[in-house]
Each structure stands twice: as structure tokens, then as C-alpha cells.
Amino acid sequence: MLNAARAIAAKDLRISLSRGGGLAQALLLGLLLIFVFSLAQDMGETMPPQGAAAAFWLSSAFCQVLVFNMLYSQEEINGTRLGLLLMPAPTQAVWLGKAAAGLVLILLAQAVFLPAAIVFLGQHVGPLWPSALLALLLADVGMAALGSLLGALSQGQAARESLLSIVLFPLLIPLLLAGIRVGAGAFAEGLPEGVDAWLGIAAAFDAMFCGAGLLLFGHLYTGD
């Protein structure tokens, strides 16, 4: 399964980065959101750390939806979805490969979003940045696991495509809260309640949806 997942991830990344359309849309939308948040401040005023972290993670969440819609639409457009289903590997390899590709694309987008948030929203990086980077990685893993699981719902009818966004955001709330609070602590001088509880929430979210992906993806992607 791991070899098949690596091959799928490499194929998706090669196509996504060579064409660049879906990733460019995600980058433009995320940067636009951060820029709009910056316009809400008066001249010379800086946004509170929690507001800046919320803008960053909101951009990341919209990026996630666009990235996984793009990854799962590639086989639909080319009519090669049946080829993935017939490969000599468990169907979960598709989930794992696309989750890995989506994780890389989200991290690439966040490498642009984070400096933009610091510059446009007037933030600085505090001493809590190592914990914030760990929280970012844990949150991204959870976003990739959930996005790849629900990406199977985005195929087929146009109504299904809109369902992904509707279902996705409520499920992401615990993960986004963890990322926002730890990010706010990194933009400030610290976090009064500490970071351990928030990191635990993100890790539990990852474990739950990685398990759900392994158990449920085959039924969602094959339509059983």
C-alpha cells in the first residue's frame, strides 16, 4: 500500500506543480483574505495576535478545499478513476497518496501565507514559535487526512462538490481552534493556558481522522 501511495502522491504533485492552476487559485484566495483582514485596521494599527492567527488559518482552510477538489478531480476529468480502483493495492492507498500530496501543497501555500500574515497584519514571531510550528504540522496532517477522506464526496454530481465545503468546516473547528490559539501565542509573548492541551487536541484529531480514513475511504470512493 505504501508504494502505491507514494506513486499516487508523486503523480499528483507532478501534475499539480506543472499545471499550477489549482494551487495558484488557492494562493491567490488565501493572500486576498489576509489582505482584506489587513484593510480592517486603521493606518499604523496592528491586528491582535489571535485575529492574525485566525486570518492565517482561515486562508489555510479555504486552500485545503481547493487543493483536494483539484486532486480528486484529476481522475474524473481524465476518466482514469477506474484505473485507481483496479490497481493491485488497497483502495486506502488512494486516500493516503492524495493526503500526502495535499499535505505538501498546503505546506507550500502556508510558506507564502505566513510571511504575508506577519507583514500585512503587523505581527512578530515570539519565543513560542517551536510549539507553533509543531501545532501547524499537526493541524496540517489533520486537514490533509480529513480533506482526503471527504474529497471522495466531491466527485460526481455538482451537488456533491458543494457538499465537501459544507461538511468540512464544522469538522475542522477543533483543529482550527488549536492552530489559532497556539499561533496567537507565537505572535504574542506566550499563551497563558500553555500549549500542551491544544497540541493534544490536534494530535487526537489526527488519530481519529487517520483511522476514519483507513476504515471509510473505500466505501466513499467506490460508492458502496
Side-chain angles (χ1 to χ4, degrees):
M1 184 175 82
L2 292 178
N3 288 334
R6 278 196 296 267
I8 292 170
K11 180 265 298 180
D12 284 343
L13 286 173
R14 187 166 58 251
I15 293 174
S16 301
L17 295 177
S18 62
R19 295 177 181 173
L23 183 59
Q25 290 177 2
L27 285 172
L28 289 174
L29 177 59
L31 290 174
L32 178 62
L33 286 171
I34 292 172
F35 182 67
V36 168
F37 272 89
S38 72
L39 294 179
Q41 306 300 307
D42 292 331
M43 186 67 67
E45 185 182 1
T46 60
M47 179 170 285
Q50 183 146 329
F56 170 80
W57 282 107
L58 183 62
S59 298
S60 300
F62 279 107
C63 172
Q64 178 210 25
V65 173
L66 293 175
V67 162
F68 281 101
N69 272 335
M70 173 187 66
L71 291 177
Y72 275 91
S73 66
Q74 289 173 1
E75 285 77 23
E76 296 293 324
I77 293 172
N78 298 324
T80 55
R81 181 180 180 185
L82 184 60
L84 289 181
L85 294 174
L86 293 177
M87 68 179 178
T91 311
Q92 285 81 0
V94 179
W95 167 79
L96 184 58
K98 290 189 178 293
L103 176 61
V104 172
L105 293 175
I106 291 171
L107 285 170
L108 288 175
Q110 287 176 333
V112 178
F113 296 159
L114 186 56
I118 292 172
V119 171
F120 286 114
L121 303 179
Q123 303 300 307
H124 68 277
V125 179
L128 205 63
W129 66 266
S131 297
L133 288 179
L134 177 58
L136 183 143
L137 182 59
L138 288 173
D140 285 350
V141 169
M143 290 172 70
L146 179 58
S148 188
L149 176 62
L150 295 182
L153 293 175
S154 69
Q155 307 313 310
Q157 307 169 28
R160 282 180 146 190
E161 211 161 293
S162 63
L163 181 64
L164 176 63
S165 303
I166 296 171
V167 173
L168 187 64
F169 288 114
L171 293 176
L172 280 176
I173 287 175
L175 200 62
L176 293 178
L177 284 175
I180 289 169
R181 285 301 296 152
V182 180
F187 286 149
E189 296 301 322
L191 200 61
E193 70 269 27
V195 300
D196 292 344
W198 294 113
L199 293 177
I201 289 173
F205 186 101
D206 293 355
M208 181 172 65
F209 280 101
C210 285
L214 290 173
L215 290 173
L216 301 177
F217 181 80
H219 301 290
L220 291 175
Y221 199 59
T222 60
D224 293 340

Coordinates of all heavy atoms in Angstrom, one line a residue, residues 170-213:
P170 N -17.4 22.6 9.7 CA -17.7 22.3 11.1 C -16.8 21.2 11.7 O -16.5 21.3 12.9 CB -19.2 21.8 11.0 CG -19.7 22.4 9.7 CD -18.5 22.4 8.8
L171 N -16.4 20.2 10.9 CA -15.5 19.2 11.4 C -14.1 19.7 11.7 O -13.4 19.2 12.6 CB -15.4 18.1 10.4 CG -16.6 17.2 10.1 CD1 -16.4 16.2 9.0 CD2 -17.1 16.5 11.3
L172 N -13.7 20.8 11.0 CA -12.4 21.4 11.3 C -12.3 22.3 12.5 O -11.2 22.7 12.9 CB -11.9 22.2 10.0 CG -11.4 21.4 8.8 CD1 -11.1 22.4 7.7 CD2 -10.1 20.6 9.2
I173 N -13.4 22.6 13.1 CA -13.4 23.6 14.2 C -12.4 23.3 15.3 O -11.6 24.2 15.7 CB -14.8 23.8 14.7 CG1 -15.6 24.6 13.7 CG2 -14.8 24.6 16.1 CD1 -17.1 24.7 14.1
P174 N -12.4 22.1 15.9 CA -11.4 21.8 17.0 C -10.0 22.0 16.5 O -9.1 22.5 17.2 CB -11.7 20.3 17.3 CG -13.0 20.0 16.8 CD -13.2 20.9 15.6
L175 N -9.6 21.6 15.3 CA -8.3 21.7 14.8 C -7.9 23.2 14.5 O -6.8 23.6 14.9 CB -8.2 20.9 13.5 CG -6.8 20.5 13.0 CD1 -6.1 19.6 14.0 CD2 -6.9 19.8 11.6
L176 N -8.9 23.9 14.0 CA -8.6 25.4 13.7 C -8.5 26.1 15.1 O -7.6 27.0 15.2 CB -9.7 26.0 12.9 CG -9.9 25.4 11.5 CD1 -11.1 26.1 10.8 CD2 -8.6 25.7 10.7
L177 N -9.2 25.8 16.1 CA -9.1 26.4 17.4 C -7.7 26.2 17.9 O -7.1 27.1 18.5 CB -10.2 25.9 18.3 CG -11.6 26.5 18.2 CD1 -12.5 25.8 19.1 CD2 -11.6 28.0 18.4
A178 N -7.2 24.9 17.8 CA -5.9 24.6 18.3 C -4.8 25.4 17.6 O -3.9 26.0 18.2 CB -5.6 23.1 18.2
G179 N -4.9 25.5 16.3 CA -4.0 26.2 15.5 C -4.0 27.7 15.8 O -3.0 28.4 15.9
I180 N -5.2 28.2 15.9 CA -5.4 29.7 16.2 C -4.8 30.1 17.6 O -4.1 31.1 17.7 CB -6.8 30.1 16.1 CG1 -7.3 30.0 14.6 CG2 -7.1 31.5 16.7 CD1 -8.8 30.2 14.4
R181 N -5.1 29.3 18.6 CA -4.6 29.6 19.9 C -3.1 29.5 20.0 O -2.4 30.4 20.6 CB -5.3 28.7 21.0 CG -6.7 29.1 21.3 CD -6.9 30.5 21.8 NE -6.2 30.7 23.0 CZ -5.7 31.9 23.4 NH1 -5.8 32.9 22.7 NH2 -5.2 32.0 24.6
V182 N -2.5 28.5 19.5 CA -1.1 28.3 19.6 C -0.4 29.4 18.7 O 0.6 30.0 19.0 CB -0.6 26.9 19.2 CG1 0.9 26.8 19.2 CG2 -1.3 25.9 20.1
G183 N -1.0 29.6 17.5 CA -0.5 30.7 16.6 C -0.5 32.1 17.3 O 0.4 32.9 17.1
A184 N -1.6 32.3 18.0 CA -1.7 33.6 18.7 C -0.6 33.7 19.8 O -0.1 34.8 20.0 CB -3.1 33.7 19.4
G185 N -0.3 32.6 20.4 CA 0.8 32.6 21.4 C 2.1 32.9 20.8 O 3.0 33.5 21.4
A186 N 2.3 32.4 19.5 CA 3.6 32.6 18.8 C 3.7 34.0 18.4 O 4.8 34.6 18.3 CB 3.7 31.6 17.7
F187 N 2.6 34.7 18.0 CA 2.6 36.1 17.6 C 2.7 37.0 18.8 O 3.1 38.2 18.6 CB 1.4 36.4 16.8 CG 1.4 35.8 15.4 CD1 0.2 35.5 14.7 CD2 2.6 35.7 14.7 CE1 0.2 35.0 13.5 CE2 2.6 35.1 13.4 CZ 1.4 34.8 12.8
A188 N 2.4 36.5 20.0 CA 2.5 37.3 21.2 C 3.7 36.9 22.0 O 4.6 36.3 21.4 CB 1.2 37.2 22.0
E189 N 3.7 37.1 23.3 CA 4.8 36.7 24.1 C 4.6 35.3 24.8 O 5.5 34.9 25.5 CB 5.1 37.8 25.2 CG 5.5 39.1 24.6 CD 6.8 39.0 23.7 OE1 7.7 38.2 24.1 OE2 6.8 39.7 22.7
G190 N 3.5 34.7 24.6 CA 3.2 33.4 25.2 C 1.7 33.2 25.2 O 0.9 33.9 24.7
L191 N 1.4 32.0 25.8 CA 0.0 31.6 25.9 C -0.3 31.3 27.4 O 0.3 30.4 28.0 CB -0.2 30.4 25.1 CG -1.6 30.0 24.7 CD1 -2.3 31.1 23.8 CD2 -1.7 28.7 23.9
P192 N -1.2 32.0 28.1 CA -1.5 31.8 29.5 C -1.8 30.4 29.9 O -1.3 29.9 30.9 CB -2.7 32.8 29.8 CG -2.6 33.8 28.7 CD -2.1 33.1 27.5
E193 N -2.6 29.7 29.1 CA -3.0 28.3 29.4 C -2.0 27.3 29.0 O -2.2 26.1 29.2 CB -4.4 28.0 28.8 CG -4.5 27.9 27.3 CD -4.8 29.2 26.6 OE1 -4.4 30.3 27.2 OE2 -5.3 29.1 25.5
G194 N -1.0 27.7 28.3 CA 0.0 26.7 27.8 C -0.4 26.1 26.5 O -1.6 26.3 26.0
V195 N 0.5 25.3 25.9 CA 0.2 24.7 24.6 C -0.1 23.3 24.6 O -0.6 22.7 23.6 CB 1.4 25.0 23.6 CG1 1.6 26.5 23.5 CG2 2.6 24.3 24.1
D196 N 0.2 22.6 25.7 CA 0.1 21.1 25.8 C -1.3 20.6 25.5 O -1.5 19.7 24.7 CB 0.5 20.6 27.1 CG 2.0 20.8 27.4 OD1 2.7 21.0 26.4 OD2 2.4 20.7 28.5
A197 N -2.3 21.3 26.0 CA -3.7 20.8 25.8 C -4.1 21.0 24.3 O -4.8 20.1 23.7 CB -4.7 21.6 26.7
W198 N -3.7 22.1 23.7 CA -4.0 22.4 22.3 C -3.3 21.4 21.4 O -3.9 20.9 20.4 CB -3.7 23.8 21.9 CG -4.5 24.8 22.6 CD1 -4.1 25.7 23.6 CD2 -6.0 25.0 22.5 NE1 -5.2 26.5 24.0 CE2 -6.3 26.1 23.4 CE3 -6.9 24.4 21.7 CZ2 -7.6 26.5 23.5 CZ3 -8.3 24.9 21.8 CH2 -8.6 25.9 22.7
L199 N -2.1 21.1 21.7 CA -1.3 20.1 20.9 C -2.0 18.7 21.1 O -2.1 17.9 20.1 CB 0.1 20.0 21.4 CG 1.0 21.3 21.1 CD1 2.4 21.1 21.6 CD2 1.0 21.6 19.6
G200 N -2.5 18.4 22.3 CA -3.2 17.1 22.5 C -4.5 17.0 21.7 O -4.8 16.0 21.1
I201 N -5.2 18.2 21.6 CA -6.4 18.2 20.8 C -6.1 17.9 19.3 O -6.7 17.1 18.6 CB -7.2 19.5 20.9 CG1 -7.8 19.6 22.3 CG2 -8.2 19.7 19.9 CD1 -8.4 21.0 22.6
A202 N -5.0 18.6 18.8 CA -4.6 18.4 17.4 C -4.2 17.0 17.1 O -4.5 16.3 16.1 CB -3.5 19.4 17.0
A203 N -3.4 16.4 18.1 CA -3.0 15.0 17.9 C -4.1 14.0 17.9 O -4.2 13.1 17.1 CB -1.9 14.7 19.0
A204 N -5.1 14.2 18.8 CA -6.3 13.4 18.9 C -7.1 13.5 17.6 O -7.6 12.5 17.1 CB -7.1 13.7 20.1
F205 N -7.2 14.7 17.1 CA -8.0 14.9 15.8 C -7.3 14.1 14.7 O -7.9 13.4 13.9 CB -8.0 16.4 15.5 CG -8.8 16.7 14.3 CD1 -10.1 17.2 14.5 CD2 -8.3 16.6 13.0 CE1 -10.9 17.6 13.4 CE2 -9.1 16.9 11.9 CZ -10.4 17.4 12.1
D206 N -5.9 14.2 14.6 CA -5.2 13.4 13.6 C -5.4 11.9 13.7 O -5.7 11.3 12.7 CB -3.7 13.7 13.7 CG -3.3 15.2 13.4 OD1 -4.2 15.9 13.0 OD2 -2.2 15.5 13.6
A207 N -5.3 11.4 14.9 CA -5.5 10.0 15.1 C -6.9 9.5 14.7 O -7.1 8.5 14.1 CB -5.2 9.6 16.6
M208 N -7.9 10.3 15.1 CA -9.3 10.0 14.8 C -9.6 9.9 13.3 O -10.1 9.0 12.8 CB -10.3 10.9 15.5 CG -11.7 10.6 15.2 SD -12.8 11.6 16.2 CE -12.5 13.3 15.6
F209 N -9.1 11.0 12.6 CA -9.5 11.0 11.2 C -8.5 10.2 10.3 O -8.9 9.8 9.2 CB -9.6 12.5 10.7 CG -10.9 13.1 11.1 CD1 -10.9 13.9 12.2 CD2 -12.0 12.8 10.4 CE1 -12.2 14.5 12.5 CE2 -13.2 13.4 10.7 CZ -13.3 14.2 11.8
C210 N -7.3 9.9 10.8 CA -6.5 8.9 10.0 C -7.1 7.5 10.1 O -7.2 6.8 9.1 CB -5.1 8.9 10.6 SG -4.1 10.3 10.1
G211 N -7.6 7.2 11.3 CA -8.4 5.9 11.5 C -9.6 5.9 10.6 O -9.9 4.9 10.0
A212 N -10.4 7.0 10.6 CA -11.6 7.1 9.8 C -11.3 6.9 8.3 O -12.0 6.3 7.6 CB -12.3 8.4 10.1
G213 N -10.2 7.5 7.9 CA -9.8 7.4 6.5 C -9.5 6.0 6.1 O -10.0 5.5 5.1

